[in-house]
Amino acid sequence: MAIREIIRMGHPTLRQVAQPLSVDELTSDEIRELVMDMVDTLHDAGGLGLAAPQVNRSVRLAIIEIPGGTTRYGVIPPMPLTVFVNPVIEVVDAASAGYWEGCLSIPGLRGFVERPQHIIVRAHDLAGRSFQLELKDFLATVFQHEFDHLDGRLYVDRIEDSRNLVYEDMLDQHEAPGKRSIE
Ligand code: NI
């Protein structure tokens, strides 16, 4: 197990469409090691999720772990550390809401992004078994942010008004009322 380098915006791997993983690949030592290292890397960096392209491996795999609890954007339901392989998102309701998003590949910045708030995620686990989750509100945003990485997309691509891209320390001092942040 090891902490890997998180590549930052500007690295070409973050802009590639990542490759799906077959069941054979999933059970390989290389992918098991990648997942263990991603867990270490996420815990070291302190984010909610990490996608494989962020550690310079262009495969459709991401991990998400949400401690939950009461935050300034409301009460967030916890989610234990979960591995998502080849995830697909279905939008149930296109009604959108926005949050100030951050990204471990874009340190120091925050962007206000609106996304649909009711989705279904279908994915496979590390054994190749399929599962699905229905997600609303904050969690729907977190998953869309994370899985965008697998398509070479970053949250900055989804900011509609460039005035909504700011430094997080400035945001902390001057946060506009009514806009919620994702840590
Ligand atoms: Ni990100």
Side-chain angles (χ1 to χ4, degrees):
M1 301 211 293
I3 293 166
R4 299 199 185 188
E5 180 190 357
I6 297 175
I7 58 174
R8 290 174 300 145
M9 182 166 62
H11 193 297
T13 299
L14 288 173
R15 293 311 198 169
Q16 290 172 10
V17 175
Q19 293 298 308
L21 285 163
S22 68
V23 174
D24 282 351
E25 288 169 313
L26 276 185
T27 51
S28 69
D29 290 345
E30 194 265 329
I31 293 297
R32 292 198 179 277
E33 193 176 324
L34 171 67
V35 171
M36 286 192 292
D37 288 354
M38 284 172 63
V39 172
D40 287 348
T41 304
L42 177 63
H43 288 163
D44 177 64
L48 298 174
L50 188 67
Q54 293 182 276
V55 292
N56 200 17
R57 189 69 174 82
S58 191
V59 293
R60 303 188 78 79
L61 185 154
I63 60 173
I64 293 177
E65 181 178 42
I66 296 167
T70 304
T71 69
R72 60 178 156 167
Y73 37 79
V75 178
I76 302 305
M79 170 167 295
L81 180 72
T82 307
V83 180
F84 297 86
V85 177
N86 303 332
V88 176
I89 287 174
E90 176 193 335
V91 175
V92 177
D93 182 346
S96 293
Y99 294 88
W100 286 103
E101 298 188 17
C103 182
L104 295 173
S105 293
I106 312 173
L109 292 175
R110 290 293 177 97
F112 191 77
V113 177
E114 299 199 26
R115 302 182 190 265
Q117 295 294 288
H118 187 184
I119 62 171
I120 290 174
V121 168
R122 295 185 176 83
H124 292 81
D125 65 17
L126 278 180
R129 291 179 296 246
S130 61
F131 65 99
Q132 73 172 51
L133 293 173
E134 185 172 358
L135 300 156
K136 289 184 178 177
D137 307 320
F138 171 82
L139 289 181
T141 282
V142 170
F143 277 70
Q144 289 170 85
H145 172 116
E146 221 49 65
F147 298 163
D148 263 357
H149 281 295
L150 308 181
D151 290 324
R153 232 179 265 128
L154 300 171
Y155 77 77
V156 291
D157 307 342
R158 297 191 181 277
I159 296 173
E160 289 181 359
D161 179 340
S162 58
R163 287 174 291 190
N164 282 332
L165 180 63
V166 302
Y167 287 101
E168 63 186 340
D169 57 342
M170 291 291 104
L171 181 66
D172 289 342
Q173 293 175 37
H174 306 288
E175 183 169 1
K179 289 186 176 183
R180 297 157 295 181
S181 300
I182 289 181
E183 298 296 331

